[in-house]
Amino acid sequence: MKFLKVLATIVVLFAVVLFGGGLMLSPKFHVERSTVVNAPADKVYALVADPHRWKDWTVWNRRDPSMQIEYFGAASGASSGWAWKSATEGDGKMTLTAVEPLARVAYDLYFPDFDSTSTGDLRFTAEGGGTRVTWGMDGDMGGNPLMHWMALMMDRMVGKDFEAGLANLKALAEAP
């Protein structure tokens, strides 16, 4: 009986720390990575402004080659986008919201499984003989204190995917 009381106390304390700590954490997150691509901005921009090209360089499409993708809107640029269904990468929808040719491509990202929306962009600036590409994303995990712990880990989780995607984008843009 004493063991059960101790166990119940530990479970209650764990729940208080988990929920209470989550309430004290920010639900907001920011992830950003960059790399220099030894190619002109127009070549890199073309791979980002066209939703059909994202599957060629993002890590998520490579992890699930059987991902079901449906494109919508314009062929490229603002209002173009795609929705996907994936057993391993989850379901989602990305809409390109604003483009500044050769400078920036912005997007909204929606994940129905989490009812979560994020915004992000890829920015292009001349650097040396190439183009610095900076990929950023901001989001809000909402009011659930458990999801606040996820916000705390987003940089580590998504940052690795951004790094791999930028490496793929670099290789693709630098190819002859």
Side-chain angles (χ1 to χ4, degrees):
M1 192 61 132
K2 184 177 180 181
F3 171 75
L4 289 178
K5 285 183 183 180
V6 170
L7 182 61
T9 301
I10 290 171
V11 168
V12 167
L13 287 174
F14 179 73
V16 166
V17 168
L18 192 62
F19 285 99
L23 287 171
M24 291 188 265
L25 294 172
S26 172
K28 298 182 184 298
F29 66 87
H30 176 76
V31 179
E32 186 171 292
R33 298 292 189 275
S34 70
T35 192
V36 175
V37 177
N38 297 317
D42 62 333
K43 190 168 184 185
V44 182
Y45 174 82
L47 296 169
V48 176
D50 180 354
H52 299 87
R53 297 305 308 265
W54 280 60
K55 67 180 173 11
D56 298 334
W57 58 270
T58 62
V59 68
W60 306 292
N61 297 87
R62 290 180 176 204
R63 282 198 297 242
D64 182 4
S66 63
M67 180 182 288
Q68 297 173 4
I69 299 173
E70 183 178 315
Y71 298 97
F72 59 85
S76 67
S79 80
S80 64
W82 63 103
W84 64 90
K85 292 185 182 293
S86 169
T88 61
E89 304 304 303
D91 299 345
K93 180 181 178 182
M94 180 181 280
T95 306
L96 302 186
T97 57
V99 295
E100 298 167 37
L102 308 181
R104 179 175 175 259
V105 173
Y107 61 85
D108 284 344
L109 186 60
Y110 175 68
F111 292 103
D113 295 341
F114 300 105
D115 194 27
S116 163
T117 302
S118 304
T119 59
D121 66 3
L122 285 101
R123 299 178 305 278
F124 314 100
T125 54
E127 185 167 313
T131 306
R132 175 165 294 280
V133 180
T134 303
W135 191 357
M137 183 172 73
D138 294 287
D140 187 327
M141 299 303 274
N144 182 339
L146 295 178
M147 295 304 289
H148 296 189
W149 291 101
M150 285 287 289
L152 188 64
M153 298 182 284
M154 287 299 285
D155 187 70
R156 280 178 277 169
M157 293 179 348
V158 177
K160 292 177 186 177
D161 290 347
F162 278 20
E163 290 166 9
L166 287 170
N168 295 338
L169 181 63
K170 177 179 173 67
L172 191 60
E174 291 177 354

